[in-house]
Amino acid sequence: MSALNKKNILLGVCGGIAAYKSAILARRLIDAGAQVRVVMTSGAQAFVQPMTFQALTGNPVHTSLLDTEAEAAMGHIELARWADIILIAPATANTLARLAHGFADDLLSTVCLASEAPLFIAPAMNRLMWAHAATLSNCKTLNDRGASFIGPAEGIQACGETGAGRLLEPEDIRDQLATLLQSNAAITTSNEQTTQTLAGKHVLVTAGPTREAIDPVRYISNHSSGKMGFAIAEAAVSMGARVTLVAGPVSLSASDTIQRIDVVSAEQMLDAVMQVAGNCDVFISVAAVSDYRLEEIKEQKIKKNDEQMQLTLIKNPDILKQVSSREDRPFCVGFAAETENVEAHARGKLVRKQLDMIAANQVAQPDNPVFGSDTNALDVYWPANDGHQAIPASSKTHVAQALLTIIASQLGKKPEGSQG
Ligand code: C5P
């Protein structure tokens, strides 16, 4: 069954000659089991008649923000809520710019702002417009916010030039969308929003950095913001789990339903985790625990008298390894923040730390700062059959839901009573 089956897809059509291909795309999406509603910009209507899409989708086509009759039938907020997925094809340079800057002066841009649905963009434009720094920067902005791009293709363009900027063929757009959705298991149909796949489970999550004191005013730490761990804790609650969150020093708040234990150092985090580890079903170790701490914490502030100074560091306990070594171990999930050879390092860690699963992200790409960002992309690995699933770039909330969906499905495959 296609990943598009039963999905509510809002298809945004913009004003480019490639708009004629969107009619075939609408048909292909419906063939794959999706319900499709079309929003056309005014530019799009210069190329294709709304009637074409109405006939193909069986639904009225939405063209105007300020039309009382249309708003009475299905208002723009209702439309935004209806969508499980927003797909814009073709997306013009103009629409990319307006979405990147948060405009809300026509129906399509307003619906995009008002919707939490993941956004997929299939651009189509002249090759120089596509290559222009302004367009590239708008794409990056949208990508950073979690939008996924499908295409464009290279080839002969309607303007007679050859290069990148052609809309992908409708079947390719449909297939790429389905693949992206398959790996992003979190995107649910509107009536699946309350899946309780972790009902009855106790999930323990660590999040944020740890701080290792040097003296009363200084410490060693890292850039972890805690956003990924907090998103996982919240997503676990929404999937029915009881959640304990052990948080390093971060400036984030968590829902009241989450039992939160605040800690500062790695040793404090270990203590807090060990108190809960024997009594939970899943341990997700998202925290960026400092690998080393000071051998000796000075009681008084160190004075800057010497030209050089040396600090002696000793290794911190590996919290995850200690949990996975317990006889009564929960299902253990680690995180790997790698800067190179991501798969090899992540799989190495999976074995060394005796984990059930590991989620790897690349942290050192200059244009993809994971730390502190609101978006992320993961590669998830598990031992059985060299298991692997990619979670494409999306908001940390979506990525968290996708990861927990994978965890829940693997958890279900573990034989009853097996530990590890
Ligand atoms: O070995 P490395 O530090 O790269 O492993 C990362 C994984 O191990 C993460 O899941 C992290 O939360 C966990 N970890 C830990 N205790 C440490 C260091 C890392 O639990 N001291």
Side-chain angles (χ1 to χ4, degrees), residues 97-175:
R98 298 173 42 202
L99 292 179
H101 290 90
F103 279 37
D105 59 354
D106 74 351
L107 184 60
L108 182 58
S109 54
T110 306
V111 169
C112 287
L113 272 188
S115 179
E116 286 182 335
L119 178 61
F120 298 88
I121 298 173
M125 66 199 73
N126 165 273
R127 68 182 176 92
L128 292 174
M129 291 171 78
W130 174 247
H132 196 284
T135 305
L136 293 179
S137 151
N138 291 330
C139 290
K140 183 177 175 329
T141 302
L142 291 167
N143 198 237
D144 287 347
R145 281 189 212 139
S148 304
F149 280 80
I150 300 178
E154 288 197 26
I156 300 175
Q157 303 199 296
C159 54
E161 296 183 15
T162 303
R166 270 171 66 94
L167 187 71
L168 281 180
E169 293 309 315
E171 292 74 16
D172 295 332
I173 297 176
R174 174 201 57 198
D175 292 348

Side-chain angles (χ1 to χ4, degrees), residues 285 287 289 291 317-320 334-335 349 353:
S285 176
V289 185
D291 289 327
D318 190 317
I319 301 168
L320 182 52
F335 263 68
K349 223 168 268 186
K353 299 200 184 207

Side-chain angles (χ1 to χ4, degrees), residues 65 71 74-83 107 110-111 114-115:
L65 182 60
E71 278 288 299
M74 192 184 225
H76 61 278
I77 298 295
E78 233 176 316
L79 200 54
R81 284 194 195 127
W82 173 87
L107 184 60
T110 306
V111 169
S115 179

Side-chain angles (χ1 to χ4, degrees), residues 181-201:
L181 285 176
Q182 228 151 21
S183 40
N184 190 354
I187 299 165
T188 52
T189 59
S190 49
N191 48 10
E192 286 167 4
Q193 294 290 2
T194 51
T195 43
Q196 297 281 298
T197 44
L198 289 173
K201 303 286 181 204

Side-chain angles (χ1 to χ4, degrees), residues 330-350:
F331 186 93
C332 289
V333 183
F335 263 68
E338 302 295 347
T339 54
E340 55 171 5
N341 300 333
V342 175
E343 174 161 8
H345 285 311
R347 284 209 183 272
K349 223 168 268 186
L350 191 62

